[in-house]
Amino acid sequence: MDKKRIEAAVTEILLAVGENPDREGLKETPKRVAKMYEEIFSGLHDDPARHLKIFHEPEQHNELVIVRDIPLYSVCEHHLLPFIGAAHIAYIPQKGNIIGLSKFARIVDCFARRPQVQERLTAQIADFLFENLEPYGVAVIIEAEHLCMTMRGVQKPGTKTVTTIVRGAFAEDMMLQQTFLQMVNKG
């Protein structure tokens, strides 16, 4: 990440909006913004596969596993404003392939820490898990509030966007989808 370039760009933005980047409260702002961008866009240089540790269990676990309410923070690529919410992930293991539950949060973070749209983020998480875990099925729901709708434009705080992706058994079995939705909504 080219932090010096980000600092120069932030200085230009401050000048363009009519601010003085040399005044006391703004002197360190370009550095702080560059450091923040390095953190919130760290997923651009992160491979989600490094967070995937698959355990091959001799027992064939094939029951529904749900990890609910995984906090997520991302940045809308259209306005470079945050969207904040939660991911809910379900999978049905196959071939004894399971992963540690904390890995779901790490995988969500890896994809969320990039300029994103919520639809793509949901699909990236589902597709990554479906391809790498080889489960019977995967389902992902993301619920998020987009600050581009809250603090600008239509200005409707509290509005949530919900995206859902299903793969494998979840795409084929409506009862399974309903069970997943009911368990997510119990929260």
Side-chain angles (χ1 to χ4, degrees), residues 50-99:
R50 84 177 180 91
H51 302 292
L52 189 67
K53 179 168 174 43
I54 298 174
F55 298 97
H56 303 286
E57 294 288 314
E59 304 89 28
Q60 294 296 309
H61 302 285
N62 61 359
E63 299 298 324
L64 179 61
V65 177
I66 298 175
V67 181
R68 199 176 71 189
D69 301 321
I70 302 167
L72 73 83
Y73 313 92
S74 194
V75 175
C76 167
E77 67 183 34
H78 298 145
H79 297 98
L80 293 182
L81 286 171
F83 61 94
I84 301 163
H88 315 287
I89 301 172
Y91 82 113
I92 301 172
Q94 179 176 229
K95 302 178 186 175
N97 292 347
I98 62 171
I99 65 172

Side-chain angles (χ1 to χ4, degrees), residues 125-150:
I125 294 165
D127 291 340
F128 176 80
L129 291 170
F130 194 66
E131 291 164 14
N132 289 280
L133 271 179
E134 300 180 49
Y136 286 112
V138 169
V140 177
I141 295 176
I142 293 180
E143 304 173 82
E145 182 172 351
H146 292 247
L147 268 62
C148 57
M149 283 187 64
T150 297

Side-chain angles (χ1 to χ4, degrees), residues 20 29 85 96 116 129 141 167 173 177-178 181:
N20 174 5
T29 297
Q116 276 289 11
L129 291 170
I141 295 176
R167 299 288 186 255
D173 186 338
Q177 276 187 41
Q178 291 212 325
L181 291 171

